[in-house]
């Protein structure tokens, strides 16, 4: 069990900002605008509202770096796939994320968040393939687990795995920000990589 002594938003990068050069490992979180990314990050950090959750999807237009215990960074990438954002803005975010994935020398892992209740969207599939194309093996976190009956979980996991074209050995972790189910698994994965 990880004890969080320190969790703070250290750097916010906009489209033109220079990316920070860290020596500590980074873990990035990508996902659709309303998939519960801030809620997941808050749950992992054991904080109520450090990562700003918003009732307006598409609000995060920056890359946010959270320093955790001076041991690693969580990197919150802009949410994608939100209709109200102009194509120009979307293209800029895409470039921003791409620049980050290419530039970071300490990025260990990209977590892709998808909503467990739905089939993966085109955007989810594109992002999944794109993360692989950039040289990372994404770990899929299926959020909003508490919104399903227990009997539905296995079926939805299968739909997600097939929809994204995941291989048998690829990791998918069902997660609930409400019950914190899945939190330990995510931490364990990060700890094992940092031994």
């Amino acid at each position: 069990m990880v004890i969080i002594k320190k969790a703070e938003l250290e750097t916010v990068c906009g489209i033109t900002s220079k990316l920070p050069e860290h020596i500590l490992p980074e873990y990035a979180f990508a996902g659709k605008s309303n998939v519960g990314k801030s809620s997941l990050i808050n749950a992992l950090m054991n904080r109520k509202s450090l990562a700003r959750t918003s009732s307006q999807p598409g609000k995060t237009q920056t890359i946010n770096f959270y320093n955790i215990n001076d041991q690693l960074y969580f990197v919150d990438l802009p949410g994608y796939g939100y209709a109200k954002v102009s194509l120009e803005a979307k293209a800029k975010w895409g470039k921003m994320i791409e620049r980050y994935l290419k530039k970071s020398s300490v990025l260990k892992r990209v977590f892709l968040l998808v909503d467990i209740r739905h089939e993966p969207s085109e955007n989810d599939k594109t992002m999944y393939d794109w993360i692989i194309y950039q040289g990372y093996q994404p770990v899929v976190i299926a959020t909003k687990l508490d919104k399903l009956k227990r009997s539905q979980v296995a079926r939805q996991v299968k739909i997600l795995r097939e929809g994204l074209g995941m291989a048998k050995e690829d990791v998918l972790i069902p997660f609930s920000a409400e019950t914190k189910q899945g939190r330990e698994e995510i931490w364990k994965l990060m700890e094992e990589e940092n031994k």
Side-chain angles (χ1 to χ4, degrees), residues 170-184:
D170 294 342
V171 182
L172 183 147
I173 301 171
F175 173 81
S176 161
E178 294 296 314
T179 66
K180 309 289 185 275
Q181 190 181 330
R183 181 177 182 262
E184 290 309 306

Side-chain angles (χ1 to χ4, degrees), residues 9-135:
L9 177 57
E10 194 173 277
T11 315
V12 175
C13 286
I15 284 161
T16 55
S17 313
K18 189 177 181 306
L19 290 164
E21 290 177 23
H22 292 141
I23 46 177
L24 297 172
E26 293 172 349
Y27 289 88
F29 297 85
K32 265 205 306 242
S33 298
N34 53 355
V35 75
K37 206 150 38 72
S38 301
S39 302
L40 167 77
I41 291 172
N42 283 327
L44 289 172
M45 296 191 295
N46 237 350
R47 297 292 188 271
K48 278 273 186 289
S49 57
L50 185 57
R52 288 189 291 277
T53 53
S54 167
S55 54
Q56 289 172 280
K59 203 87 171 104
T60 309
Q61 301 183 16
T62 51
I63 299 179
N64 298 337
F65 293 83
Y66 295 91
N67 179 333
I68 312 296
N69 288 350
D70 291 324
Q71 288 172 336
L72 53 94
Y73 284 92
F74 286 169
V75 184
D76 185 3
L77 300 172
Y80 57 80
Y82 189 59
K84 279 193 182 163
V85 178
S86 73
L87 283 173
E88 189 188 347
K90 282 180 190 166
K92 281 183 181 161
W93 292 355
K95 282 203 170 60
M96 193 157 116
I97 296 171
E98 185 170 15
R99 183 173 63 131
Y100 167 68
L101 291 180
K102 281 189 172 146
K103 282 260 170 77
S104 174
S105 57
V106 288
L107 178 59
K108 289 273 186 156
R109 175 77 66 183
V110 182
F111 292 100
L112 177 62
L113 281 64
V114 293
D115 189 327
I116 197 164
R117 299 169 300 176
H118 309 295
E119 278 187 44
S121 67
E122 277 312 306
N123 281 321
D124 291 332
K125 291 179 202 169
T126 303
M127 194 68 184
Y128 184 81
D129 292 341
W130 192 58
I131 294 166
I132 292 171
Y133 175 73
Q134 297 292 344

